[in-house]
Amino acid sequence: MEGEAAAAILQTLVQNLIDLCKKEISQIRDLKKDAAKLTKSLKTIQKFLNDAETRDITSEAVKEWLKNLEDVAFDADNVLDELNYHILSKQIKPAEPEEEKIPSCFSRLSCFSCCKNLSRSRNVALKIKEINENLESINKEATDLGLVGRLADEPTLVIAALETDSYTLDPIFIGRDDVASKIVEMLTNSITTDDERAVSIISIVGMGGLGKTTLTRKVFNHLKDETRFGSHIWVHVSPNFDALTLFKKILKELTDQVEGENKQDILSKLQQALKDKTYLLVLDDVWNEDRSKWEEFMNSLLGVSSVKGNAIVVTTRSMKVATIVNPIHTHELEGLSEDECWSIIEVKTFGEGNVPSEFAAIGKKIARKCQGLPLAANVVGGVLRNKSEEKWRSVEEKWLSADEGGDNITNILRLSFDNLSLPSLKKCFAYCAMFPKGSQIMKQELIEMWMAEGFLQADERDDMESVDEKFINVLLHNSLLQVSWRYANRNVNKCGMHDLVHDLACSVLSSSNSSRVRYKTLEEDESSRIPKEMAKSLRTLLLTSEGDISDINFSDFESLHVLSLLDSEVKELPSSIQKLIHLRDFDISKTEIEVFPDWIGEFFHLQTLRANSEYLRKLPSTIKYLINLRHLYIDSRVELPMGIGSLTSLQTLKYFPVGDENGCKIEELGNLNNLKGELLILHLERVHDKEEAGKANLFKKSKILNLCLMWGWNREGERNDEDVLEGLQPHSDLRDLKIKRFNGKRFPSWTLKMAVRDAPHGSWVVLNKLMSLELWYCDECEEIPMLGQLPNLKSLELREWRNLKCINSSFYGMVNKDTRIVFPSLERLELWSMPNLAEWAEIEISDGSEVKLFPRLQHLKIYDCQQLMSVPSHVSSCLQHLEIGGIGVECLPADWLLSNSETLSTLAISECPNLREISDRWGEEESEGRSFTITSLPIFPRLTFVHIEGVPKLSLETMDAMWRLQIHGNKFIYP
């Protein structure tokens, strides 16, 4: 299958070349004919590749043809890219006026420059002519080899999978007993509940070789032995998910014969076979991701049986498939532990006998290489049976050869690769082979590398980053990548690759490459040993070694698109890097470089610059020439140059420090309307008024989801924070807002209402998508904005409000007949350092009706509010963490604890010198209420942490009981 993979991967490169021909060469008058000829040749090759991709290529001649094509295609890509570079150079850096009027004494220099351009044009033309000749030769060779030009078909699933059944014995079943029991229990419960459904579906999803079929067979046979169902049916699903074919297989399982060809006949016989019996149906190895096909199958199946209490188990490698089947439960199968893999190898090699210690030591290392795959453990165990210690050591060092079963494992895993319908997606997967085994790959960095390598051209609806994001998800869902780390919001941060999947990626990459190496990670000090011929063809180079790189001649790496200097002790960039005109992704984030050289502005193709180093202090003014720059990663302390606003392609610019000079002011943000993600604007004290602030056009930047607006410390002179903040009105889709060191007495209208003015209609639009709000160091503010009406606000943090005296009822927002839930989504509320806050008012309800306040609040923290004597009586009914410190209240509302007795897990009260009781007397006469000690409160079954300190006025009985309180098994035990 090597040839087919190579053909599929080359499709991406050829299509990119066709696009370049149309976009760049055809615009140059003298090269129009050559461009047309090149386009025609490439389209012919594309048709041959379509044919090669559908064949089982074994011919060494065809494989050689593919490798020759790759070499020519990459050469063509370099030539066209070089031409594009020089076109950009003329557009971006036109001759300066003083250069145009050259004195006669320098006329020879001017003539030389003209000759140089003429020479360059001739050189490019000759290279294109040579490429055309090579492509003509390759096209002729394709015909001689029997390849046929064909138009691309719709992506189809080309998979050759082994048929599975319910009878095969699995003599070794280790590590899955609990999972099997859980699934059996779920299926049993699903058919015995009172409101029985017609069919209960369970999905089992995981990568190839993880043991989905073995587990399902265990469950199937267990339920069959217990006769839980009237019929037990096992069907291995063909890659081509066809309802009629499936019904024929089901009927054959039930009756051992299939008569009739049309769907009506088959369904009629299936109805007779099932009659009034329940059934358990296993659909093993499902690949179909077309929801309509699944619905067609299920609608017909439900039509042939009206009996309730049936069950279907679906096994699949794809999370998308697992979702489409609408299961009551999806079980993501995990890998076995190292010990469980060793147990499989142990049984395979020595049966019930004892394993000699010298073999066991080696075997445990081999088990580690299986990385949780029972398939690998079974295969390697069979290979090691009755083998010498020397053979065991050989397998531990080199793993399995092709004839020992290594190919068998690879081919099973390869089915997931074959399921990737897009050639560009296959190329993206193969590229991951470049990273060392066990690497944690930053998702965003990987996306930007794919983009730099040109694996993807976005259509009008999507930009490259969003399409590459989808590619990441497809690879994750097909278990070709694994999640290594997630952010708190569950978004993927880092990915990894199973070692055996990494072997597959290496196999695919080597099959699609010529003898030239294109992508390489260099560990230790290998760089000086790269031959010049290899350097010439490299397109990605990751230098992870520490040490001096000054002796590397980077001009030898003339094709580089991606260069990362990682963990290198680099203080200055070698001048030879300047020659890398194809560079699109440049990473110096781990270096000690303090200042970039001016020639960085000559990387006209550059799309990503990672310079978020703690050492970098400023960027050169030439950065403004990088018009293709999409992602600029810098530290917040880096000084931006004048004219950063000319980089209109920028999507990532996390920090913008406002400058004093023209070209550095906030108006530079005005044209950067493609910015997305997060943006921190610093030194807002340098903005003079609302009009100047408005030039940032924040309301137009609809892709900025996280916005932080920050003034500086130790300001002098007039303060116009209210006016400036008014001009910084964002768009209505904002998710996260932080405002820090705002020194106005009152927030401007949009902030106070938490709503922005819709310019076309002049109406106010509430920030309904806002999820997190932080207002810090608002020392002069006297009123908190209206926040209770925000439907999706989950986190609210207020710090250092030194002038705030009261949290009044406006805090809760507009409460009327249409608003009966206030702060409906808030989960975390924190109040810090409000020394003059005396009152936190109750919510005011004019009509006396019931209103829910903080219904989802889980975390409440109040610290350093010494004057606070009044708090709302009701907080939440699902509070998990309650922390109070440094507040002035004398009585804590009992409702804060009573309402949360079932959920509270953390209770901390500290430095509250006036606190003397917990009471329900809130707002009533003392005689009408009750007072509680801690020990008289109800049991808190989830409470695992209690801390009380610096509360001298609580009764001795209460304090004594609290200190002697013990937690055992999450239950209170009173002494």
Side-chain angles (χ1 to χ4, degrees):
M1 299 171 79
E2 292 180 359
E4 307 92 284
I9 288 172
L10 274 172
Q11 289 274 20
T12 306
L13 180 57
V14 172
Q15 183 58 55
N16 287 347
L17 289 174
I18 292 172
D19 293 340
L20 270 174
C21 284
K22 291 177 180 176
K23 189 165 59 175
E24 306 298 344
I25 304 183
S26 60
Q27 297 176 13
I28 302 173
R29 185 179 59 192
D30 297 338
L31 296 178
K32 279 189 177 181
K33 275 191 176 180
D34 292 311
K37 189 175 181 180
L38 184 55
T39 303
K40 184 178 179 182
S41 295
L42 289 168
K43 285 185 175 179
T44 302
I45 281 176
Q46 198 171 42
K47 292 175 183 177
F48 285 135
L49 288 172
N50 290 334
D51 183 46
E53 190 183 352
T54 61
R55 297 187 179 204
D56 185 8
I57 298 174
T58 56
S59 167
E60 291 300 321
V62 175
K63 292 178 183 178
E64 189 64 28
W65 174 82
L66 288 168
K67 290 183 177 181
N68 290 337
L69 170 59
E70 185 192 75
D71 289 340
V72 175
F74 273 117
D75 289 343
D77 184 61
N78 282 341
V79 171
L80 300 183
D81 203 48
E82 182 183 350
L83 177 63
N84 186 25
Y85 176 86
H86 294 302
I87 292 171
L88 284 173
S89 179
K90 288 183 178 181
Q91 292 172 349
I92 296 168
K93 298 180 69 175
E96 299 291 335
E98 57 268 21
E99 290 178 321
E100 293 174 358
K101 298 177 181 179
I102 301 175
S104 59
C105 60
F106 294 111
S107 59
R108 190 180 304 171
L109 180 63
S110 179
C111 178
F112 172 78
S113 179
C114 180
C115 291
K116 184 179 178 182
N117 289 335
L118 184 62
S119 171
R120 183 184 293 145
S121 299
R122 284 178 177 171
N123 187 36
V124 169
L126 287 172
K127 286 181 179 179
I128 291 175
K129 184 177 180 181
E130 182 184 350
I131 289 167
N132 266 326
E133 290 173 356
N134 289 337
L135 288 176
E136 282 182 359
S137 173
I138 285 173
N139 277 332
K140 182 179 182 303
E141 189 180 353
T143 305
D144 295 341
L145 289 170
L147 290 173
V148 179
R150 66 168 72 191
L151 295 174
D153 299 321
E154 285 295 315
T156 55
L157 206 59
V158 183
I159 300 175
L162 294 173
E163 190 85 10
T164 65
D165 59 72
S166 63
Y167 297 102
T168 300
L169 292 176
D170 297 301
I172 303 175
F173 187 82
I174 290 174
R176 306 285 196 209
D177 291 295
D178 289 345
V179 177
S181 298
K182 178 183 176 182
I183 294 173
V184 167
E185 182 181 358
M186 292 182 70
L187 289 170
T188 303
N189 290 340
S190 71
I191 64 174
T192 56
T193 52
D194 293 335
D195 62 331
E196 297 172 352
R197 62 183 76 203
V199 180
S200 299
I201 302 173
I202 286 181
S203 296
I204 301 175
V205 62
M207 68 183 293
L210 203 53
K212 299 182 296 296
T213 300
T214 302
L215 170 65
T216 305
R217 195 181 282 126
K218 185 82 170 179
V219 170
F220 182 86
N221 289 325
H222 181 92
L223 291 169
K224 192 174 183 180
D225 290 343
E226 290 190 350
T227 63
R228 293 280 186 182
F229 298 90
S231 299
H232 301 80
I233 311 158
W234 182 287
V235 173
H236 180 264
V237 182
S238 166
N240 181 20
F241 190 95
D242 175 70
L244 180 58
T245 303
L246 285 179
F247 288 130
K248 285 181 178 180
K249 287 185 175 183
I250 292 170
L251 185 59
K252 193 170 192 308
E253 281 278 303
L254 291 169
T255 65
D256 202 30
Q257 57 182 355
V258 177
E259 296 177 3
E261 291 297 323
N262 65 61
K263 187 176 180 180
Q264 180 68 24
D265 289 343
I266 297 296
L267 292 178
S268 176
K269 293 182 181 298
L270 190 57
Q271 188 175 42
Q272 294 175 25
L274 288 173
K275 291 183 179 177
D276 56 354
K277 294 186 293 185
T278 59
Y279 59 82
L280 168 64
L281 170 62
V282 170
L283 297 175
D284 190 34
D285 204 23
V286 180
W287 295 82
N288 167 60
E289 295 185 348
D290 186 337
R291 187 180 298 275
S292 62
K293 288 185 177 181
W294 174 258
E295 288 175 351
E296 177 196 353
F297 169 74
M298 283 304 299
N299 288 337
S300 297
L301 184 61
L302 292 171
V304 299
S305 174
S306 59
V307 178
K308 293 183 178 181
N310 305 297
I312 298 177
V313 179
V314 173
T315 74
T316 180
R317 301 186 186 195
S318 167
M319 183 57 73
K320 186 174 181 180
V321 172
T323 304
I324 281 173
V325 300
N326 194 26
I328 61 169
H329 174 72
T330 297
H331 185 84
E332 293 184 56
L333 199 58
E334 297 179 351
L336 299 179
S337 67
E338 287 181 18
D339 288 342
E340 288 164 342
C341 285
W342 166 235
S343 295
I344 292 175
I345 296 171
E346 193 177 11
V347 173
K348 273 275 191 176
T349 51
F350 288 92
E352 298 300 322
N354 293 326
V355 182
S357 58
E358 61 272 21
F359 284 90
I362 305 168
K364 289 177 181 177
K365 293 179 181 178
I366 294 172
R368 191 175 303 132
K369 288 180 177 288
C370 296
Q371 284 203 313
L373 283 193
L375 166 70
N378 271 289
V379 171
V380 75
V383 170
L384 295 175
R385 186 177 179 84
N386 298 323
K387 296 297 191 299
S388 66
E389 183 181 343
E390 183 182 356
K391 178 61 181 175
W392 280 54
R393 291 191 185 280
S394 174
V395 170
E396 190 268 315
E397 292 170 4
K398 303 175 184 176
W399 193 236
L400 299 173
S401 64
D403 60 348
E404 290 175 328
D407 265 3
N408 180 39
I409 296 172
T410 301
N411 288 337
I412 288 173
L413 295 175
R414 194 184 185 109
L415 297 180
S416 295
F417 170 79
D418 293 333
N419 186 39
L420 304 176
S421 54
L422 294 175
S424 49
L425 188 50
K426 292 181 177 180
K427 185 72 174 174
C428 289
F429 167 73
Y431 182 80
C432 296
M434 170 190 65
F435 298 98
K437 281 186 176 180
S439 295
Q440 289 197 350
I441 310 166
M442 298 295 294
K443 183 192 76 169
Q444 188 60 33
E445 290 182 22
L446 180 58
I447 286 174
E448 288 160 9
M449 288 178 183
W450 286 345
M451 186 175 70
E453 286 291 351
F455 295 158
L456 185 72
Q457 295 297 322
D459 60 26
E460 294 179 357
R461 295 165 297 173
D462 296 300
D463 57 28
M464 287 186 281
E465 289 81 0
S466 64
V467 176
D468 275 349
E469 180 89 27
K470 294 173 186 174
F471 276 24
I472 288 277
N473 290 334
V474 171
L475 294 177
L476 286 171
H477 287 169
N478 284 277
S479 302
L480 293 171
L481 286 179
Q482 298 172 331
V483 176
S484 299
W485 188 264
R486 291 183 187 271
Y487 293 109
N489 62 5
R490 303 301 296 157
N491 288 337
V492 177
N493 179 22
K494 295 179 183 178
C495 301
M497 185 177 272
H498 191 286
D499 280 1
L500 296 177
V501 175
H502 188 277
D503 292 340
L504 168 64
C506 290
S507 170
V508 170
L509 189 62
S510 63
S511 73
S512 64
N513 272 352
S514 65
S515 56
R516 302 183 191 178
V517 178
R518 309 286 179 189
Y519 320 111
K520 194 165 184 64
T521 299
L522 293 178
E523 298 180 278
E524 301 174 0
D525 193 19
E526 300 176 275
S527 52
S528 59
R529 299 196 295 273
I530 298 178
K532 187 172 182 178
E533 192 59 33
M534 178 190 290
K536 183 179 178 180
S537 62
L538 275 175
R539 288 170 65 97
T540 291
L541 176 62
L542 308 184
L543 282 168
T544 64
S545 58
E546 292 187 10
D548 188 11
I549 63 168
S550 60
D551 59 338
I552 301 176
N553 184 10
F554 283 96
S555 58
D556 291 342
F557 298 81
E558 59 187 53
S559 300
L560 272 188
H561 282 53
V562 178
L563 174 61
S564 291
L565 306 178
L566 305 174
D567 297 324
S568 297
E569 296 174 0
V570 180
K571 292 181 171 60
E572 188 176 339
L573 288 178
S575 59
S576 58
I577 290 180
Q578 184 179 1
K579 304 294 184 182
L580 305 179
I581 64 172
H582 302 289
L583 205 60
R584 283 164 166 77
D585 189 317
F586 191 24
D587 188 347
I588 59 106
S589 58
K590 301 293 176 66
T591 67
E592 297 182 8
I593 293 171
E594 294 184 9
V595 180
F596 268 122
D598 286 343
W599 50 254
I600 195 75
E602 295 178 13
F603 290 154
F604 304 128
H605 284 311
L606 199 66
Q607 296 169 342
T608 299
L609 178 58
R610 289 188 173 271
N612 45 329
S613 161
E614 61 179 297
Y615 296 94
L616 189 68
R617 288 293 173 262
K618 65 181 298 184
L619 296 174
S621 61
T622 53
I623 287 285
K624 66 185 177 185
Y625 297 128
L626 304 182
I627 62 168
N628 286 307
L629 194 64
R630 301 163 76 93
H631 305 284
L632 176 58
Y633 296 94
I634 54 172
D635 190 89
S636 60
R637 293 167 292 184
V638 172
E639 181 184 334
L640 291 179
M642 295 175 64
I644 198 77
S646 61
L647 303 181
T648 54
S649 296
L650 268 185
Q651 296 183 14
T652 300
L653 180 66
K654 294 185 177 181
Y655 305 104
F656 184 87
V658 178
D660 287 317
E661 301 178 33
N662 288 333
C664 300
K665 294 183 177 181
I666 198 168
E667 64 187 28
E668 292 297 312
L669 283 172
N671 292 324
L672 304 184
N673 289 329
N674 290 312
L675 290 180
K676 64 180 183 180
E678 61 182 277
L679 174 64
L680 165 59
I681 306 178
L682 300 147
H683 299 300
L684 285 170
E685 70 277 5
R686 296 172 182 169
V687 182
H688 295 100
D689 50 36
K690 174 183 175 181
E691 287 67 32
E692 186 178 341
K695 291 178 181 178
N697 288 337
L698 291 186
F699 65 93
K700 289 184 178 180
K701 295 172 176 42
S702 59
K703 295 178 182 176
I704 293 288
L705 301 180
N706 304 331
L707 178 64
C708 181
L709 305 173
M710 187 182 295
W711 282 258
W713 296 105
N714 303 321
R715 290 185 274 158
E716 295 179 0
E718 184 181 351
R719 298 186 180 184
N720 51 0
D721 297 24
E722 294 178 19
D723 202 27
V724 170
L725 187 56
E726 183 70 60
L728 294 174
Q729 175 179 295
H731 62 90
S732 59
D733 289 337
L734 205 62
R735 303 290 202 280
D736 187 320
L737 176 63
K738 299 179 178 70
I739 300 175
K740 299 185 179 181
R741 302 177 200 141
F742 171 75
N743 274 344
K745 288 187 177 296
R746 182 180 170 86
F747 280 106
S749 53
W750 74 263
T751 321
L752 203 59
K753 296 180 179 180
M754 279 294 142
V756 294
R757 190 175 288 280
D758 181 11
H761 303 96
S763 58
W764 287 96
V765 180
V766 176
L767 296 174
N768 281 337
K769 296 184 179 179
L770 196 67
M771 299 176 68
S772 175
L773 177 63
E774 293 180 14
L775 302 174
W776 287 17
Y777 305 107
C778 301
D779 283 348
E780 302 298 321
C781 279
E782 298 174 349
E783 185 177 3
I784 298 175
M786 294 188 293
L787 304 174
Q789 77 280 12
L790 298 176
N792 291 299
L793 187 66
K794 292 187 175 182
S795 177
L796 174 60
E797 193 171 326
L798 308 175
R799 287 181 183 246
E800 299 285 347
W801 287 53
R802 298 193 172 274
N803 209 28
L804 184 69
K805 296 180 175 60
C806 175
I807 299 177
N808 57 37
S809 59
S810 65
F811 171 63
Y812 303 108
M814 301 295 293
V815 181
N816 52 44
K817 62 179 181 180
D818 298 320
T819 307
R820 284 291 172 262
I821 304 178
V822 182
F823 288 103
S825 300
L826 197 68
E827 296 175 358
R828 178 183 294 273
L829 174 59
E830 298 188 18
L831 307 178
W832 295 77
S833 300
M834 300 179 178
N836 290 305
L837 179 64
E839 179 186 4
W840 181 359
E842 298 275 4
I843 188 169
E844 293 181 4
I845 309 163
S846 57
D847 59 4
S849 58
E850 183 180 352
V851 172
K852 288 186 177 180
L853 177 63
F854 302 120
R856 306 177 97 176
L857 192 65
Q858 298 174 18
H859 301 258
L860 176 61
K861 293 184 180 181
I862 308 173
Y863 278 103
D864 195 18
C865 302
Q866 293 90 345
Q867 302 300 317
L868 184 59
M869 302 299 293
S870 171
V871 295
S873 59
H874 182 69
V875 171
S876 170
S877 57
C878 58
L879 205 61
Q880 296 175 14
H881 301 269
L882 176 59
E883 297 182 35
I884 301 170
I887 67 173
V889 294
E890 296 181 358
C891 178
L892 195 65
D895 206 24
W896 283 29
L897 296 176
L898 291 173
S899 296
N900 301 286
S901 61
E902 295 296 318
T903 57
L904 200 65
S905 62
T906 298
L907 174 62
I909 305 174
S910 61
E911 305 306 325
C912 296
N914 300 323
L915 183 61
R916 55 186 173 78
E917 65 177 336
I918 298 165
S919 173
D920 69 351
R921 285 194 287 268
W922 213 251
E924 299 179 7
E925 292 294 328
E926 185 171 337
S927 60
E928 296 178 2
R930 291 177 299 156
S931 180
F932 300 88
T933 64
I934 296 292
T935 52
S936 66
L937 287 169
I939 290 176
F940 293 74
R942 298 181 184 274
L943 196 63
T944 56
F945 177 83
V946 177
H947 176 78
I948 296 184
E949 182 181 7
V951 195
K953 291 188 178 179
L954 274 177
S955 68
L956 181 62
E957 176 191 357
T958 303
M959 285 294 295
D960 186 54
M962 180 55 70
W963 286 120
R964 291 186 288 113
L965 189 64
Q966 299 179 37
I967 307 295
H968 177 71
N970 287 348
K971 299 287 185 184
F972 274 88
I973 295 180
Y974 293 94

